[in-house]
Amino acid sequence: MTDSLSSLLRASHLLAPDDLAATAAAEARRMGVRDTVLYLADYEQATLLPLPGAGVPERQELPIEGTMAGRAFRRVEMVNSTATQGSHRLWVPLLDGVERLGVAELELPAPPSPDLEHDLRVFVTLVAELIVVNDAYSDVFSRLRRRKTLSLAAEMQWELLPPLSFGTERLVITGGLEPAYDIGGDSFDYAVNGSTADLLVIDAVGHGLPATVLASVAVGAYRHARRNALDLPDIAAEINTAIAGQFTGSQFATAVLARLDIDTGRLRWVNAGHPAPLIVRGTSLVQPPHCPPSRPLGLQETKPTCCETRLEPGDRVLLYTDGVIEARSPDGEFFGEQRLADFISAAVAAGDSAPETVRRLMRHILTHQADQLQDDASIVVLEWLTGDEAQLQLER
C-alpha cells in the first residue's frame, strides 16, 4: 500500500482534475483491485453519479435509497457484495471528515484480507481528500453533481455555503437546504474556533437573485464581524448595518445567530424575527427558555437581546427557516414543529447520524409537499457530544 499511496501523492501535485478517476483506478490496480469507480452525490443527495475517466468502466447513476452503494453512503460503512462468480465488490464511503462526498466501488478477485481492507480504506480516504482539493481548481466535480441546471441564485448560494457537515469528538454540525437547484434567500454558516462553535441560519426576504444578493451581504457581514471576535448582539448589529446601508426598508432578513461553548454546553443565541431554536433531547422536544425575538436584520434600531440555555450531552439543536415548519401538504397541512421534532427523535432512536438525519429530513419535507415547495427550506442541526457518545457518532 505504501507504494500506491506514495505514487498517488506524487501524482497529485501535477494532477489534472479530469484525470483523478483514471489515476486512482491505476494506483488501486497495484493493490490488486481490478476496477475502481468513484461516485459523487448530487446536490440533492438523492443520487450517486459515476466520475468518468480513461480506463474506468462505464457505470449508471445509482439511487442512494435501495442500493448497496447507497447503503455505504447512508450508514458511512464499508459494504461487501458479490459482483459475479470469481469477483467481489466493496463499496467504501468517500469522506472528508464527516462530510459525505460519495462512494468508491472497488472490484477485487476475492474478498479482501483484513489488512488489505484496512489499506483500501486508507487509500479511499486519500482519494476523497484529493477530490476536495481539486474541486477548488475545476468545474469537473460541480458539473458532475448537478442532475439539472442550477439557477443563478442557487449557484451563488451553494458557493456561499460551508461544507454541509463538520464533526469533532465533541460536536457535529450539519445542514441542508431545498430546493437544491433553485434555492434563493435561505442560507447558513458556521465556524468552530477552539472551544466555541458559531452558527447562523438566515432567510432573506423575497425570492431568486435579489434575495440571494441580500443573503450574500448578510453572510459576508456575519463572517467579518465573527472573525473580528465580536459578541453575538454586536455581530447582529453589524449585519443589520450592512443590510440597511445597501438595501431599502422593504428588504430585510430574519435570522438566528447562535454560539455554543463546547466545553460547558452553554448555548447563547440572538433571534432576529425568526422561528425559535428547538432542542431534541433523546426522543423528547425541549423548548428553550422563552426569549422575545428582536426585529429582523436591516430593520433593527437597537442591539438585540441575547438568549441563553444549557445543553445536555447528546442534545440536538435545530435552527431552521420557516419553509421547514410551514411546508404545506396538498391538502393544506403544515409540516409543523412537532412533526419536525418527531422526525429527529425517530432518527435518534434509529441510530442515524446527524448528516443522514438531515438528508432524510429534507427528502421527507419534499414528499410532504408532493415535491412542490412553496418556500425555501433550510436547517442546521448541532449535536453536542461528550465521551462515548462522540465515538459512537463518528463510527456510524
Side-chain angles (χ1 to χ4, degrees):
M1 181 194 66
T2 301
D3 289 343
S4 296
L5 287 180
S6 297
S7 179
L8 183 56
L9 281 171
R10 285 195 301 271
S12 71
H13 296 294
L14 296 174
L15 181 66
D18 306 69
D19 296 332
L20 177 57
T23 302
E27 295 302 334
R29 277 192 286 272
R30 299 174 63 182
M31 302 172 66
V33 180
R34 287 176 178 171
D35 287 317
T36 300
V37 182
L38 308 177
Y39 296 77
L40 300 183
D42 75 316
Y43 281 91
E44 289 182 315
Q45 292 193 324
T47 307
L48 294 166
L49 305 165
L51 182 64
V56 176
E58 291 188 8
R59 291 288 192 268
Q60 299 296 315
E61 62 183 47
L62 298 171
I64 288 177
E65 300 294 340
T67 62
M68 290 288 192
R71 178 180 173 183
F73 182 89
R74 296 191 312 271
R75 299 188 180 182
V76 194
E77 64 183 19
M78 180 182 288
V79 174
N80 291 263
S81 67
T82 300
T84 59
Q85 187 173 7
S87 182
H88 191 80
R89 183 167 290 150
L90 296 180
W91 300 96
V92 187
L94 287 164
L95 300 173
D96 176 36
V98 299
E99 170 78 344
R100 301 174 298 178
L101 309 177
V103 299
E105 174 193 353
L106 308 175
E107 188 173 326
L108 299 98
S113 67
D115 287 344
L116 178 56
E117 185 174 300
H118 172 270
D119 290 349
L120 291 174
R121 288 178 183 271
V122 174
F123 180 81
V124 170
T125 297
L126 175 57
V127 171
E129 295 304 326
L130 291 179
I131 291 172
V132 174
V133 170
N134 281 272
D135 193 33
Y137 311 133
S138 173
D139 296 327
V140 169
F141 309 120
S142 293
R143 286 174 176 170
L144 177 70
R145 292 179 58 223
R146 58 191 68 194
R147 301 185 68 213
K148 57 185 178 181
T149 302
L150 270 74
S151 68
L152 175 57
E155 190 83 55
M156 293 172 63
Q157 286 291 50
W158 278 102
E159 290 300 310
L160 193 65
L161 290 175
L164 290 182
S165 299
F166 170 80
T168 72
E169 63 180 9
R170 300 301 306 277
L171 84 165
V172 175
I173 299 170
T174 190
L177 72 173
E178 288 288 350
Y181 292 93
D182 198 29
I183 193 75
D186 280 16
S187 193
F188 65 84
D189 195 34
Y190 64 82
V192 178
N193 301 298
S195 62
T196 299
D198 279 291
L199 303 97
L200 167 75
V201 172
I202 189 166
D203 183 358
V205 67
H207 299 280
L209 192 57
T212 296
V213 172
L214 195 157
S216 298
V217 170
V219 172
Y222 170 71
R223 290 173 176 169
H224 180 259
R226 185 189 72 210
R227 290 164 183 169
N228 283 333
L230 299 186
D231 197 16
L232 287 178
D234 298 302
I235 294 176
E238 291 285 319
I239 303 172
N240 182 76
T241 298
I243 294 175
Q246 297 297 321
F247 303 94
T248 66
S250 61
Q251 293 177 283
F252 57 86
T254 68
V256 169
L257 297 76
R259 177 168 289 172
L260 173 68
D261 185 320
I262 300 170
D263 291 335
T264 66
R266 181 190 184 209
L267 179 71
R268 302 168 62 237
W269 72 95
V270 165
N271 185 340
H274 202 79
L278 295 177
I279 299 172
V280 176
R281 180 167 295 155
T283 58
S284 301
L285 174 63
V286 177
Q287 296 283 355
H290 177 67
C291 184
S294 304
R295 300 185 71 185
L297 299 170
L299 303 178
Q300 294 179 357
E301 297 177 352
T302 60
K303 286 184 184 179
T305 302
C306 196
C307 319
E308 182 174 331
T309 192
R310 187 80 62 167
L311 300 183
E312 294 184 5
D315 279 359
R316 292 187 178 189
V317 181
L318 315 181
L319 308 178
Y320 54 91
T321 61
D322 56 9
V324 171
I325 56 173
E326 294 179 6
R328 189 176 298 187
S329 68
D331 59 5
E333 183 181 6
F334 286 115
F335 193 78
E337 286 185 2
Q338 190 59 55
R339 196 189 308 265
L340 171 61
D342 289 346
F343 186 94
I344 300 295
S345 297
V348 171
D352 287 344
S353 66
E356 178 60 13
T357 297
V358 170
R359 188 194 73 84
R360 291 182 55 241
L361 172 65
M362 302 315 288
R363 309 309 304 164
H364 194 58
I365 290 171
L366 282 171
T367 300
H368 180 77
Q369 297 182 98
D371 290 334
Q372 297 297 320
L373 285 176
Q374 290 88 35
D375 192 9
D376 296 345
S378 300
I379 189 168
V380 172
V381 176
L382 180 149
E383 185 172 14
W384 186 53
L385 304 165
T386 61
D388 294 339
E389 295 92 345
Q391 189 60 38
L392 287 171
Q393 174 68 40
L394 297 176
E395 289 176 352
R396 288 175 190 155

